Amino acid sequence: MSGLADLTLGFIPLTDCAPLVVAKSLGFFAEEGLEVTLSREASWATIRDKVAVGALDGAHMLAPMALAAGLGDDGVVAAPMLAPLALNLNGSAITVSTALADALRAVDPEGMAAETVTARPLARLIEQRRGQGAPPLIFAVVFPHSMHSYALRYWLAQAGVDPDHDVRLVVTPPPRVVAHLQSGGIDGFCVGAPWNAVAVSEGVGEILIKASTFWPGGPDKVFGVTQAWAARRPDDLRAALRALIRAAAWADEPGNHAELVALLSRPDHVGAEPEVLARALRQEIVFHRDAAGLPRREHALWFLSQMVRWGQVGPDLDLEAVADQVYRPDLFREAALSVGPVVEPAMAFADASPPPPAALFDGAPFDPADARGYAAGFAISRVGG
């Protein structure tokens, strides 16, 4: 008997699972008194369901999925979650097939050459295809409640493309999107690293806009557990958070990236080629600096505003209450402050002041105090009809 507390934590093979992989591989979990088994899962739905029923103690999780899991939508039994730590900022991108990219350049070369590529060329191509009687283009997202889904929807709608009527959206697990793009089953996708870089390296895709351009410093994944589990095992949760904070700080250090790439490239982790993973790490993914680990209330409210905008939640949902129940910066701060000198910036990011209002690529301001009004203020929205 080791005397360590046993935990099984799930992850999806993506670059932003790095804090879990590092904490396990470098012994940070063990140093915090935890014997952790990492479980590589096939899909986000599997992650959600296994955490909900207790088959996993916690997991690498889509931030909006953690918010939605307690609402019992889509016929799924509600399992209220906690997000006591954010795993990363940035890291995803919108990628299209090379054939679609060429077609977009043909219809709108200036739009495709712009510093920030909007969906204006796509809107023009869709109109052209509609006149020709062509079927709708197909775009993949990794889960309906995900930053990837909301980013793609926002990007499309900003140019007048209705994501529910002008294109077809399908759900595809991250490791499968490149194969589907190559086979012609989809025309584009929004997914996290390294799969956009994989599509480019294999010559089948072209990145149009990165998350760091769509929303500089925007949120993505969290570490998620059920509220019931957190109540039963508060000491184990605090220990896991301490280990993950240390791992995130380690992963952010450029001098550690070669070792990080070697860890992530293992087939039981991400399994992508080392050079592709190294490229993904250079694409501005952040694990620790800039208060990346702090689960910010305003991030939760932006996600909830998108659920309202696209009709995923009812009109009477108390968005602020949901945000406060799921996003727990207090738990993060407690763990971060207790790490002490092991992670030098711990005090600074634990007490990080709120950032300025979200600055998305189109400049539209987001006021967390009026998330519902924000959702209703777009020309393309499901609010009110």
Side-chain angles (χ1 to χ4, degrees):
M1 295 294 290
S2 67
L4 302 181
D6 290 330
L7 295 184
T8 301
L9 304 178
F11 73 96
I12 295 292
L14 292 158
T15 306
D16 49 36
C17 75
L20 282 80
V21 168
V22 169
K24 166 67 174 178
S25 302
L26 272 61
F28 296 157
F29 281 133
E31 289 172 10
E32 295 293 342
L34 302 174
E35 181 65 48
V36 169
T37 298
L38 295 183
S39 179
R40 191 179 193 264
E41 301 295 342
S43 70
W44 290 115
T46 302
I47 288 274
R48 175 199 58 194
D49 295 346
K50 285 190 173 184
V51 173
V53 301
L56 294 171
D57 295 292
H60 170 224
M61 189 174 289
L62 298 161
M65 186 171 76
L67 291 160
L71 305 179
D73 65 334
D74 299 329
V76 177
V77 176
M81 301 281 177
L82 289 186
L85 179 143
L87 288 173
N88 68 296
L89 305 175
N90 302 333
S92 60
I94 295 172
T95 296
V96 298
S97 69
T98 52
L100 179 53
D102 289 341
L104 295 174
R105 267 187 290 273
V107 76
D108 188 352
E110 291 183 1
M112 287 292 284
E115 183 176 356
T116 297
V117 177
T118 71
R120 186 188 77 181
L122 186 62
R124 293 182 176 179
L125 181 64
I126 287 171
E127 187 62 29
Q128 183 183 90
R129 288 170 57 89
R130 185 178 290 120
Q132 298 168 347
L137 296 167
I138 302 173
F139 286 82
V141 296
V142 300
F143 196 74
H145 300 114
S146 66
M147 180 65 191
H148 316 80
S149 175
Y150 301 139
L152 179 61
R153 283 173 169 273
Y154 192 112
W155 182 77
L156 291 169
Q158 188 267 348
V161 178
D162 190 318
D164 293 317
H165 300 292
D166 297 330
V167 297
R168 182 182 166 207
L169 298 185
V170 297
V171 173
T172 305
R176 300 179 189 171
V177 292
V178 175
H180 283 275
L181 191 72
Q182 187 169 25
S183 70
I186 59 175
D187 300 290
F189 56 75
C190 186
V191 71
W195 302 110
N196 300 284
V198 170
V200 173
S201 71
E202 294 187 2
V204 300
E206 183 172 322
I207 295 171
L208 297 189
I209 183 169
K210 297 176 183 177
S212 56
T213 299
F214 174 81
W215 180 355
D220 197 330
K221 309 295 193 314
V222 296
F223 177 64
V225 299
T226 65
Q227 294 180 17
W229 186 92
R232 288 196 312 272
R233 302 178 66 173
D235 293 340
D236 292 340
L237 175 58
R238 186 180 304 108
L241 295 179
R242 286 165 53 92
L244 289 168
I245 290 167
R246 294 172 58 192
W250 185 93
D252 250 3
E253 288 292 334
N256 295 329
H257 280 183
E259 187 175 354
L260 178 57
V261 165
L263 287 173
L264 293 176
S265 64
R266 286 171 38 179
D268 54 332
H269 292 152
V270 178
E273 292 298 319
E275 58 269 24
V276 174
L277 286 160
R279 187 183 316 160
L281 286 174
R282 291 194 298 269
Q283 291 176 353
E284 301 176 11
I285 188 169
V286 178
F287 300 110
H288 173 75
R289 65 184 184 277
D290 303 328
L294 185 67
R296 296 186 181 275
R297 186 174 189 266
E298 56 270 25
H299 290 169
L301 286 167
W302 188 85
F303 288 134
L304 289 163
S305 79
Q306 299 309 290
M307 295 181 198
V308 171
R309 180 182 182 182
W310 301 113
Q312 292 179 329
V313 296
D316 300 325
L317 182 67
D318 187 335
L319 306 186
E320 291 75 13
V322 173
D324 291 338
Q325 289 163 8
V326 178
Y327 267 49
R328 294 293 300 277
D330 58 313
L331 296 176
F332 173 82
R333 287 189 175 98
E334 179 186 8
L337 290 169
S338 72
V339 171
V342 177
V343 176
E344 188 63 33
M347 296 291 260
F349 70 75
D351 291 327
S353 58
L360 275 65
F361 74 101
D362 62 347
F366 169 61
D367 179 5
D370 187 23
R372 194 176 298 278
Y374 172 79
F378 293 98
I380 299 178
S381 172
R382 304 287 91 88
V383 179

